[in-house]
């Protein structure tokens, strides 16, 4: 994981936000201008509604990603090329939700002038949507390998790929629950489970290498299985990135949860 990937979302902002975050970092609330003729509480209600819409869209993205991971693994196990293709095609829908989320967040910041805590949460949600979009890409990449493997006999039951895929889907589900509740304890727990994903990846890598060394006919299938395992391992890393954001929201501390 690069240093950039380990940095919380609010620390990776374009210059356009620099002045806004000066006040945030100084501990000052940002001004929320009241609309002419409207009480301030109505303005807050509008913001809360827009924030809820953003949250709902991020959760929808997470649900789509979780489903894509499981469908890609299912297509691999069942040798279903058409089902694998459906996962690849569905990735465009995840991308579209991400674009919508980013646009909603930009509009909310521009029109509602959120206070410091709200601003941090919005920017974190923007980063989460980016991480989820990349996870969707990884799930689609697993599905592409499944399409290539569909016409060939399985190599040792695809080793531990099915188990690894299910664990990755569970981690996506768990980290979104932690995000919604800003639950530091759960975020740390989910991040810790990425070690299991890494262990499965290393086991798959060693087993597949042994199979390829034993029989050159296994090389093509083995290589595609290794690619699929790599994409699932990256999903685990991106889940950890989100966990670090949740910890930052909850505590204000920047921590590396995947040293």
């Amino acid at each position: 994981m690069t240093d950039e990937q380990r940095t919380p979302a609010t620390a990776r902002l374009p210059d356009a936000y620099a002045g806004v975050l000066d006040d945030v970092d100084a501990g000052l609330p940002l001004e929320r201008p009241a609309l002419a003729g409207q009480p301030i509480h109505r303005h807050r209600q509008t913001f809360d509604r827009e924030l809820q819409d953003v949250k709902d869209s991020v959760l929808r993205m997470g649900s789509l990603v979780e489903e894509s991971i499981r469908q890609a693994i299912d297509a691999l196990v069942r040798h279903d090329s058409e089902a694998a293709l459906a996962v690849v095609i569905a990735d465009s829908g995840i991308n579209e939700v991400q674009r919508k989320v980013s646009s909603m967040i930009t509009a909310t910041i521009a029109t509602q002038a959120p206070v410091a805590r709200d601003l941090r949460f919005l920017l974190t949600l923007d980063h989460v949507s980016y991480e989820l979009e990349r996870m969707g890409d990884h799930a689609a990449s697993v599905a592409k390998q499944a399409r290539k493997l569909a016409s060939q006999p399985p190599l040792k039951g695809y080793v531990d790929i099915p188990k690894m895929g299910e664990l990755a889907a569970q981690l996506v589900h768990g980290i979104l629950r932690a995000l919604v509740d800003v639950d530091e304890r759960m975020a740390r727990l989910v991040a810790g489970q990425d070690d299991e994903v890494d262990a499965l990846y290393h086991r798959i890598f060693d087993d597949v290498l042994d199979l390829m060394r034993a029989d050159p006919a296994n090389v093509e299938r083995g290589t595609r299985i290794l690619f699929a395992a790599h994409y699932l391992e990256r999903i685990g890393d991106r889940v950890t990135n989100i966990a670090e954001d949740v910890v930052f929201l909850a505590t204000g501390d920047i921590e590396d949860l995947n040293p």
Side-chain angles (χ1 to χ4, degrees):
M1 188 182 302
T2 65
D3 291 339
E4 179 182 358
Q5 291 170 326
R6 290 171 174 157
T7 307
T10 50
R12 295 196 298 272
L13 300 175
D15 292 340
Y17 290 113
V20 175
L21 287 185
D22 285 343
D23 288 340
V24 174
D25 293 333
L28 300 174
L30 300 180
E31 293 183 0
R32 185 194 303 279
L35 299 179
Q38 289 187 332
I40 190 67
H41 71 273
R42 290 187 181 179
H43 198 68
R44 178 69 204 189
Q45 288 175 348
T46 299
F47 173 79
D48 288 342
R49 184 175 63 251
E50 292 181 3
L51 178 59
Q52 188 60 52
D53 288 343
V54 173
K55 287 182 183 178
D56 290 345
S57 295
V58 170
L59 290 176
R60 180 176 170 233
M61 271 193 81
S63 178
L64 291 173
V65 169
E66 187 180 345
E67 182 180 6
S68 290
I69 296 169
R70 290 196 169 100
Q71 289 180 344
I73 298 300
D74 183 64
L76 175 69
V77 172
R78 293 191 297 107
H79 298 260
D80 192 333
S81 178
E82 292 303 314
L85 178 60
V87 174
V88 176
I89 294 173
D91 183 49
S92 62
I94 295 174
N95 296 343
E96 181 57 34
V97 177
Q98 194 273 333
R99 286 190 288 269
K100 176 184 176 184
V101 168
S102 187
S103 178
M104 291 167 63
I105 290 172
T106 299
T108 299
I109 292 174
T111 60
Q112 302 301 318
V115 296
R117 180 176 298 178
D118 293 331
L119 178 61
R120 289 190 187 279
F121 193 52
L122 279 170
L123 294 174
T124 296
L125 289 176
D126 196 29
H127 176 238
V128 169
S129 74
Y130 165 76
E131 295 288 358
L132 289 172
E133 188 273 333
R134 296 298 296 135
M135 291 183 208
D137 290 345
H138 295 323
S141 294
V142 173
K144 290 175 183 177
Q145 299 307 317
R147 289 196 72 203
K148 297 292 185 179
L149 290 165
S151 62
Q152 303 180 54
L155 184 62
K156 197 181 176 182
Y158 302 115
V159 201
D160 285 317
I161 288 285
K163 183 178 180 180
M164 190 179 182
E166 176 58 27
L167 179 56
Q170 291 175 5
L171 293 187
V172 172
H173 183 84
I175 201 56
L176 287 175
R177 286 182 55 195
L179 174 70
V180 169
D181 297 333
V182 193
D183 188 333
E184 177 195 357
R185 185 196 65 81
M186 179 175 285
R188 292 182 183 278
L189 179 63
V190 173
Q193 290 177 300
D194 180 45
D195 290 342
E196 298 177 39
V197 174
D198 292 340
L200 285 171
Y201 173 68
H202 292 303
R203 186 189 309 167
I204 290 169
F205 191 90
D206 291 341
D207 288 349
V208 171
L209 280 185
D210 289 342
L211 291 169
M212 292 193 293
R213 289 192 186 105
D215 186 351
N218 294 334
V219 169
E220 181 181 352
R221 286 176 295 163
T223 300
R224 296 197 181 283
I225 289 172
L226 290 178
F227 276 133
H230 169 72
Y231 296 130
L232 293 172
E233 190 269 340
R234 293 299 297 128
I235 289 174
D237 286 345
R238 292 188 179 278
V239 166
T240 301
N241 290 347
I242 297 175
E244 290 170 358
D245 283 338
V246 174
V247 170
F248 181 69
L249 282 175
T251 68
D253 296 329
I254 299 174
E255 292 191 41
D256 179 5
L257 300 181
N258 189 16

